Amino acid sequence: MEIAESALASIEDSQTSVHAFTHVDRERALIAAAAVDAKRKAGHTMGALAGVPVAVKDVLCTKDMPTTCASNMLRDFRPPYDATVIEKLRIADAVIVGKTNMDEFAMGASTETSAFGVTRNPWDTTRIPGGSSGGAAACVAARSVPLSIGTDTGGSIRQPAALCGVTGLKPTYGRVSRYGLVAFASSLDQVGPIAWTVEEVALLLRVIAGFEPRDSTSLDLEVPDYHAVLQSNDLRGIKIGVLRDALDNDGIDESIRNAVIASVDVFRSAGAEIVDVNLPHSEYCVPTYYVIAPSEASSNLSRYDGAHYGHRAEQLDPDKAEQLGPLVATYCRSRAEGFGSEVKRRIMVGTYALSEGYADQYYNQALKVRRLIKEDYDAAFTQADLLLGPVTPSPAFGLGEKIDDPIQMYLCDLFTVGANLAGIPALSLPAGLDADGLPLAIQLQAPVLEESRLLFAGAAFQSATDHHKLRPEKKIGS
Ligand code: GLN
C-alpha cells in the first residue's frame, strides 16, 4: 500500500508538468495493492512483481480502464477484456496504476499527436519525451513508477527510452503476445518493457513473454530465465559489431556519436571483441518502413467506422448523406472527426501504396527491400554476436519543432526501424548526458530470440557505468 501510495503521489505531482498518463486509476491501484498485502500476510506464494507499480501504454486493452490509443476515435472505449500482457501482470501481482499517453494509435515519435495533449520530457519540460510510448518512458524517467509497458512498431519503446534516459527493450517479433494490443502495423508491432535498469527489464520481460494461442504470431517457445544470465559481467568471447555507417551518417549529432564511441571502450574493457560491421541497405529502412507500416495501418484502422468501433458522428451533412447514403456518410464523417491528421496521413499513404496499379511499385517493392534488409542483418550476425550503434540521431528536440514536418519526424526512426523490419530484439541503454543535460543512449541489437545475449551485455554495460542512475528529479520538483 505504501509503495502504491507513493507512486500515485509522484504521478499526481508530475501530471501537470509531465502529463505522462491518459488515465490514472488510484482506486483500483490501491485495491490491488491491498490485495497483495493481504496475500503476503496470509503467507501465500507471491508473484514476481508483487506490489510493484506498473504503468501501461494506452494501446493495450484493460477491462477495468479506458483504452483510448490517445485518439478521439476511442475516447469512450472500454474493452470487455484484458490483453494477455495485462493478464500476466495481474497474475504476477503487479499493481497497474494507469494508462500512459502516446502518439495517436502509436503513430509518431514525439507523443505530440495524442488527442489528449502532449507529454513533456522530465529532463526538460520544453522538450518532447520521444514516442510513441512517450508517457511510458516519461513516468519511469520521472521515477513515478519503476516499470512500464510500451509497444514498438518502428522504435516506439527504444526511442522514448533513449530520450528520457531509461532502459527499453523491443523483444523479438512474436516473443510477447499481442492479443489485446490495438493493432497498428501487424507485421512489426511488438510489446516490451521499459525500466530503470537492464535487470528490471529482464524481470518484466520474463513476466510478459510467452505463447498465447489467441495471437497467431505468438511463438510457441519456452521463456528463458532472463535473470539467470545476468550473473556474470565478463564479455570475453562476445563479438560486438560497431555499425560504422550509422556513426558516419551525416544526420547524427556529435554528442550521440561520441556516446556510442565511448561505449565501445566500456564493452572492450569488459572483455568483448570489437569489430566493424555494416548494414548496406540501411538507407532504405525509413522509406521501406513508411510504405509497409502505413499500408498495414490503413487496413487495421478500417474497423473504426463509427458502426463497428469507435466514435460515431452525430450530425451528418445532409448533402453528403443524400449523395453517399446515410451509412457511408456516417463512416466518412465519423472518421473525419475521430482521427487526427497524422493518422489520416498514414491511412491515405497506405491506401495509395496498396491500391491497384500502385501496389507493385510501392507495397510489393517495399516487401522485397525488407527482405534485403533482413539479409543484411543475417550477414552481420555471422560477423558479430551483437550490433552496437545509436538509437536516435539526436537528443530530445523541442516541443513543436518537428510536428509540422512529417519527413523530419520520420527521420527520427533512422536507426530503430531496421530491428522491426527484421523482427529482431533490440535494447536501448542510457549512455550519459549531453552539454544541455539531456539523455544520450546506445542501442544493442541481437539475432532473433537472443534477448538473453542482449540483456547479458546490457547488464555488463550498466555494471561498468552509472548512466542509468542519473535522475532528472530536481527539474520536476519531486
Ligand atoms: N515513429 C514511428 C512511427 O511513427 C514508430 C512508431 C512506433 O514504433 N509505434 O511510425
Side-chain angles (χ1 to χ4, degrees):
M1 278 293 266
E2 254 175 71
I3 293 170
E5 288 278 15
S6 116
L8 290 163
S10 168
I11 292 167
E12 273 154 34
D13 200 36
S14 60
Q15 189 65 348
T16 327
S17 55
V18 176
H19 186 239
F21 287 81
T22 50
H23 179 81
V24 182
D25 205 325
R26 163 168 270 278
E27 203 179 316
R28 284 204 179 74
L30 292 177
I31 293 171
V36 172
D37 282 348
K39 192 170 170 184
R40 192 187 303 275
K41 218 178 232 159
H44 295 305
T45 316
M46 305 306 289
L49 298 178
V52 180
V54 181
V56 179
K57 185 177 183 180
D58 205 10
V59 67
L60 282 150
C61 288
T62 40
K63 66 171 179 242
D64 54 5
M65 285 179 233
T67 298
T68 68
C69 296
S71 179
N72 280 323
M73 188 52 99
L74 292 178
R75 186 178 275 272
D76 302 315
F77 180 47
R78 287 200 169 243
Y81 67 103
D82 276 338
T84 309
V85 167
I86 303 292
E87 275 176 4
K88 285 177 182 281
L89 288 173
R90 294 196 206 274
I91 291 168
D93 292 324
V95 172
I96 300 173
V97 292
K99 308 293 287 288
T100 56
N101 200 15
M102 52 186 279
D103 282 295
E104 184 179 5
F105 283 102
M107 297 172 189
S110 66
T111 313
E112 290 169 296
T113 71
S114 167
F116 307 132
V118 299
T119 294
R120 293 162 186 275
N121 193 315
W123 292 84
D124 176 347
T125 51
T126 68
R127 292 174 192 264
I128 57 104
S132 61
S133 316
C139 67
V140 173
R143 264 57 189 178
S144 297
V145 292
L147 305 176
S148 69
I149 303 284
T151 62
D152 194 312
T153 303
S156 279
I157 289 174
R158 291 161 287 155
Q159 186 255 18
L163 301 187
C164 288
V166 294
T167 308
L169 173 76
K170 180 201 100 68
T172 302
Y173 181 73
R175 177 76 283 186
V176 177
S177 161
R178 298 180 303 136
Y179 178 74
L181 165 67
V182 178
F184 164 11
S186 307
S187 78
L188 302 159
D189 295 340
Q190 185 53 200
V191 183
I194 298 175
W196 295 324
T197 66
V198 168
E199 200 181 343
E200 292 155 339
V201 160
L203 179 66
L204 184 51
L205 179 62
R206 178 108 204 261
V207 168
I208 62 172
F211 179 56
E212 165 57 70
R214 291 172 294 184
D215 169 1
S216 62
T217 61
S218 161
L219 297 169
D220 189 0
L221 296 167
E222 190 115 345
V223 180
D225 180 355
Y226 294 115
H227 238 103
V229 300
L230 307 183
Q231 303 315 322
S232 151
N233 296 321
D234 185 353
L235 294 184
R236 268 176 300 179
I238 300 271
K239 227 191 249 184
I240 295 185
V242 178
L243 294 170
R244 271 298 146 198
D245 284 352
L247 292 182
D248 293 342
N249 191 299
D250 289 342
I252 184 175
D253 263 37
E254 200 55 37
S255 58
I256 304 268
R257 182 180 294 125
N258 290 340
V260 176
I261 291 167
S263 77
V264 171
D265 289 335
V266 176
F267 287 113
R268 194 183 281 117
S269 302
E273 184 187 335
I274 308 293
V275 294
D276 279 350
V277 167
N278 279 322
L279 299 168
H281 296 92
S282 55
E283 65 176 301
Y284 302 110
C285 281
V286 168
T288 303
Y289 172 85
Y290 277 97
V291 172
I292 292 175
S295 297
E296 293 183 10
S298 72
S299 161
N300 277 326
L301 270 59
S302 66
R303 73 192 65 167
Y304 306 105
D305 56 15
H308 295 91
Y309 270 102
H311 167 79
R312 181 186 301 207
E314 277 172 17
Q315 297 261 299
L316 296 184
D317 174 350
D319 291 347
K320 277 264 158 50
E322 172 80 35
Q323 190 192 341
L324 302 168
L327 183 63
V328 176
T330 303
Y331 292 166
C332 293
R333 192 73 228 141
S334 301
R335 287 166 72 81
E337 288 174 2
F339 290 136
S341 56
E342 182 58 29
V343 172
K344 287 177 185 162
R345 181 170 15 250
R346 306 276 178 126
I347 292 172
M348 286 189 276
V349 167
T351 304
Y352 183 77
L354 288 173
S355 61
E356 202 180 337
Y358 292 99
D360 276 342
Q361 204 175 332
Y362 295 111
Y363 181 67
N364 294 331
Q365 187 69 7
L367 293 183
K368 290 179 195 163
V369 183
R370 181 178 189 173
R371 167 60 68 95
L372 295 176
I373 291 165
K374 163 88 174 55
E375 286 170 358
D376 280 357
Y377 276 105
D378 292 344
F381 287 125
T382 63
Q383 298 161 47
D385 302 307
L386 293 167
L387 305 180
L388 170 65
V391 185
T392 60
S394 75
F397 47 91
L399 287 158
E401 213 174 280
K402 297 186 201 260
I403 195 66
D404 296 324
D405 190 343
I407 300 291
Q408 284 309 312
M409 193 69 91
Y410 298 170
L411 286 171
C412 297
D413 306 333
L414 195 58
F415 304 122
T416 49
V417 291
N420 303 79
L421 292 167
I424 60 170
L427 178 67
S428 170
L429 296 164
L433 304 179
D434 75 356
D436 297 324
L438 298 171
L440 301 167
I442 57 166
Q443 176 171 223
L444 288 172
Q445 303 180 78
V448 162
L449 290 167
E450 293 295 345
E451 279 83 0
S452 293
R453 193 187 298 169
L454 270 185
L455 294 165
F456 167 52
F461 182 76
Q462 292 193 335
S463 83
T465 57
D466 285 332
H467 305 312
H468 57 290
K469 295 182 187 155
L470 299 171
R471 295 164 171 235
E473 59 200 336
K474 284 195 202 95
K475 296 187 180 152
I476 56 163
S478 62

